[in-house]
Amino acid sequence: PAPTLKSVSGKHTTSTGAIDAALAGVTVDGLKPGMLVVGTVRNVVPFGAFVDLGVQSDALLHRSQYPRSAPKDGSWPVINEVIEVKVVSVNRDQRKTKIAVSML
């Protein structure tokens, strides 16, 4: 199973087990692939969206990682929308995080 905060400390999670990284004090260094995290969409661009995970740098949600059920008309995601995502990779040297939407 994907690591969640519940497996780390037992608090600051949603009902699905996704972490609220800001409340939990998780940093970029604490993110691991497979981890479920709650984030807020901050910017939408042609190639995807930048999501604030509360870890000092926004994560890229590439269009290829949008759920299959997402509208094809560009109406999703919406700025300031809170979504649950799964960490795909973390580049600690460049402080970049790639994420995918978790369909839970």
Side-chain angles (χ1 to χ4, degrees), residues 14-32:
T14 67
S15 61
T16 60
I19 299 168
D20 185 322
L23 290 177
V26 175
T27 65
V28 171
D29 294 329
L31 293 177
K32 298 185 181 0

Side-chain angles (χ1 to χ4, degrees), residues 6 30 37 39-40 46 52 54 62 75 82 84-85 94-95 100 103:
K6 202 172 275 184
V37 185
T40 303
D52 179 359
H62 192 271
S75 63
V82 176
E84 289 185 1
V85 297
Q94 295 181 357
R95 314 283 295 167
M103 298 308 293

Side-chain angles (χ1 to χ4, degrees), residues 11-71:
K11 55 185 175 179
H12 304 299
T13 63
T14 67
S15 61
T16 60
I19 299 168
D20 185 322
L23 290 177
V26 175
T27 65
V28 171
D29 294 329
L31 293 177
K32 298 185 181 0
M35 190 175 271
L36 303 177
V37 185
V38 175
T40 303
V41 177
R42 292 296 176 211
N43 193 15
V44 179
V45 293
F47 55 86
F50 289 94
V51 180
D52 179 359
L53 302 179
V55 294
Q56 294 92 36
S57 65
D58 291 349
L60 172 62
L61 174 59
H62 192 271
R63 289 181 60 113
S64 65
Q65 298 293 335
Y66 287 7
R68 287 184 217 135
S69 60

